[in-house]
Amino acid sequence: MESEEGSVGPLREALMVCAAAGMSGTLRVTGDPGGAIHLTDGRVAAIETPGAPGPEVLLLRSHRVTEAGWDDAFAAAATSGGRMRAELVRRAMVGSGELEGLLRTALADAMFVLASGTVEEYRAEPGPVECALPLEPGAEPDGLLAEASRRIRVLAALPGRNDRGRLRVVAMPVPPGVRLGEGQDEILALADGRRSPRDLAFALGRGVYATMLLLVRMQQAGLLVPVSARAFAAAARTPGRTGSGGEPQDVGGLPQRQRDLPAPSRRLRAPGRLPERLMPLGLLRPRTGRDVSPGETS
Amino acid sequence: MMTEGKLLAEMQDLRDRITGITGTAVASRDGLIISEDTGGVNADNLAALTSAALSLAQRLAREAGQGTLREAITRSSGGYVAIYAIGTTAVLVLLGDEGLDITRLHRESRSVVDTIEKLLA
């Protein structure tokens, strides 16, 4: 057990006890990111963790299901006492097989994230399981743990940094003639030096592991460069970088090619709005009109 | 480090420490921005709305006879906005995505508010 990757060992220990007892209830895992593993008859029905997007985020952020449709299905399931899963399928918002696949993918991703993090303690709480989209019947803990181990090994074998889970990246200009692969344009639009792989996964409605693999490939292709979040934030606030046309000042620690990058985000920031300087305390910036950027005439 | 640098460092540290926080801002109670790390959200509008929302939430808590307001949380389909009073003169606003670690936020918010209050004193 000692040789197991990441936190697979303690998770296996806890899950095996629950599985042997055929427990239904929740295994609470304290740590970073920690989370709650919901079990039915000793099998994993759902995992909630701040570290990985759950089925709702995967369905909504990827636009496979509309928000209005989700809300309607949720309300109908709540009032009829029915199941959210049946409601989504009945309304033809998602196919039964597709949903099953998505739930399994979400479980594998969440277990990978828990296993990649730290486990300080765990506590089994037998009782009814409350979650919107449980996998029925649940997944075997053994299979999920084996897959989490495999993913950790795959990432460890890739060249590059070993703190990949916390690595922030910044988009580089796309070289002429380079065709972007699936999902790469969305990553480039969001890679602003602030977001970790987990943050990007949530923003895009994709799995954390899939996002990390994509980030590695894009770094290898020179489309992204790693950046210290702190250095980038400091650079964004360096006096002289707040207006257009000014020479950027020293942005210490950043790769040379990055100095000419304008505002961190390409899509999410309002056009023309650049990071503003931090005002000294007591020298408060006068409030601008609603939705009026500095320099714009109202 | 100057106070504003320490304040910004504290806000960035908070974003690093609590999973799911996407942005932070500190504003005065009259709705003017003091320091921001919002990642693209309009900080001026956020400061103005936050100040008003905090006042409303505090009145609501008083009216309902539920004691001192601890936090005002707005949960939307795409995430959270959490608002905290910093003493009587300022307000802290945190933006988070759907996966915001609410448990950790509750555990750490008091000490974060105290730290920022000392920095602003």
Side-chain angles (χ1 to χ4, degrees):
Chain A
M1 296 290 166
E2 282 175 348
S3 62
E4 284 197 304
E5 294 80 5
S7 295
V8 172
L11 285 171
R12 183 184 302 282
E13 190 181 290
L15 282 167
M16 287 307 113
V17 172
C18 296
M23 187 187 107
S24 290
T26 299
L27 178 69
R28 289 203 190 279
V29 179
T30 310
D32 183 18
I37 303 175
H38 300 296
L39 301 150
T40 46
D41 304 325
R43 300 165 76 106
V44 181
I47 301 178
E48 291 175 274
T49 167
E56 181 178 347
V57 174
L58 295 178
L59 285 168
L60 293 180
R61 285 286 178 125
S62 62
H63 306 296
R64 270 179 279 193
V65 169
T66 63
E67 270 185 35
W70 174 275
D71 289 345
D72 288 348
F74 192 85
T79 48
S80 69
R83 308 292 262 172
M84 185 67 177
R85 178 173 177 169
E87 202 61 46
L88 288 172
V89 173
R90 191 179 68 77
R91 290 163 182 254
M93 293 163 67
V94 58
S96 179
E98 184 189 2
L99 188 54
E100 167 105 14
L102 182 128
L103 294 178
R104 289 188 180 280
T105 305
L107 282 184
D109 198 47
M111 189 63 86
F112 156 71
V113 164
L114 290 181
S116 302
T118 57
V119 173
E120 289 162 18
E121 57 178 16
Y122 47 80
R123 191 175 67 246
E125 297 173 356
V129 174
E130 291 284 337
C131 56
L133 284 172
L135 180 69
E136 294 168 324
E140 288 286 355
D142 249 346
L144 287 175
L145 290 165
E147 177 59 15
S149 288
R150 187 191 70 80
R151 293 179 176 198
I152 293 171
R153 282 197 304 273
V154 168
L155 285 171
L158 291 171
R161 301 167 55 145
N162 54 10
D163 62 342
R164 205 170 268 120
R166 295 193 178 278
L167 188 65
R168 268 82 168 170
V169 288
V170 166
M172 298 302 288
V174 180
V178 169
R179 279 175 62 89
L180 294 175
E182 192 190 341
Q184 293 192 343
D185 54 341
E186 291 171 306
I187 295 272
L188 288 177
L190 290 166
D192 60 0
R194 293 171 60 94
R195 292 183 173 89
S196 65
R198 173 257 173 229
D199 299 340
L200 289 167
F202 267 87
L204 296 170
R206 301 171 65 111
V208 175
Y209 176 69
T211 303
M212 287 169 83
L213 286 182
L214 187 56
L215 292 178
V216 170
R217 279 201 293 275
M218 291 177 72
Q219 281 178 68
Q220 287 170 340
L223 295 168
L224 298 169
V225 289
V227 64
S228 145
R230 187 61 43 80
F232 190 81
R237 284 173 174 74
T238 302
R241 287 180 58 85
T242 54
S244 58
E247 274 295 306
Q249 296 187 359
D250 181 23
V251 292
L254 291 177
Q256 199 70 22
R257 284 185 297 169
Q258 204 179 301
R259 291 186 171 191
D260 293 328
L261 283 180
S265 170
R266 292 178 180 185
R267 187 182 290 168
L268 299 186
R269 195 176 286 275
R273 183 172 172 82
L274 298 174
E276 292 177 28
R277 289 171 61 174
L278 177 68
M279 298 303 287
L281 295 175
L283 187 63
L284 297 167
R285 201 165 356 112
R287 192 185 307 168
T288 58
R290 187 174 167 75
D291 296 333
V292 175
S293 300
E296 229 176 279
T297 51
S298 52
Chain B
M1 201 189 297
M2 290 166 68
T3 301
E4 56 260 43
K6 285 183 184 166
L7 181 57
L8 186 61
E10 176 65 26
M11 290 159 65
Q12 287 171 339
D13 186 50
L14 193 60
R15 185 157 59 77
D16 286 346
R17 217 165 58 229
I18 299 180
T19 306
I21 288 187
T22 56
T24 59
V26 173
S28 67
R29 283 303 291 267
D30 53 0
L32 299 176
I33 201 78
I34 294 173
S35 184
E36 58 103 350
D37 177 38
T38 59
V41 175
N42 186 314
D44 295 308
N45 289 351
L46 196 64
L49 290 170
T50 295
S51 170
L54 179 63
S55 300
L56 198 60
Q58 285 178 324
R59 279 195 59 186
L60 202 56
R62 258 203 313 275
E63 194 63 34
Q66 292 178 345
T68 308
L69 182 80
R70 296 265 168 84
E71 66 196 344
I73 290 193
T74 304
R75 180 177 171 236
S76 311
S77 60
Y80 296 82
V81 180
I83 300 170
Y84 301 86
I86 308 286
T88 54
T89 57
V91 52
L92 167 70
V93 56
L94 304 177
L95 309 175
D97 61 26
E98 301 95 320
L100 176 65
D101 192 344
I102 290 282
T103 312
R104 190 157 193 157
L105 183 64
H106 284 153
R107 205 165 60 224
E108 298 203 13
S109 59
R110 195 63 253 165
S111 70
V112 169
V113 165
D114 287 348
T115 304
I116 293 178
E117 189 170 6
K118 285 190 186 101
L119 287 171
L120 293 175

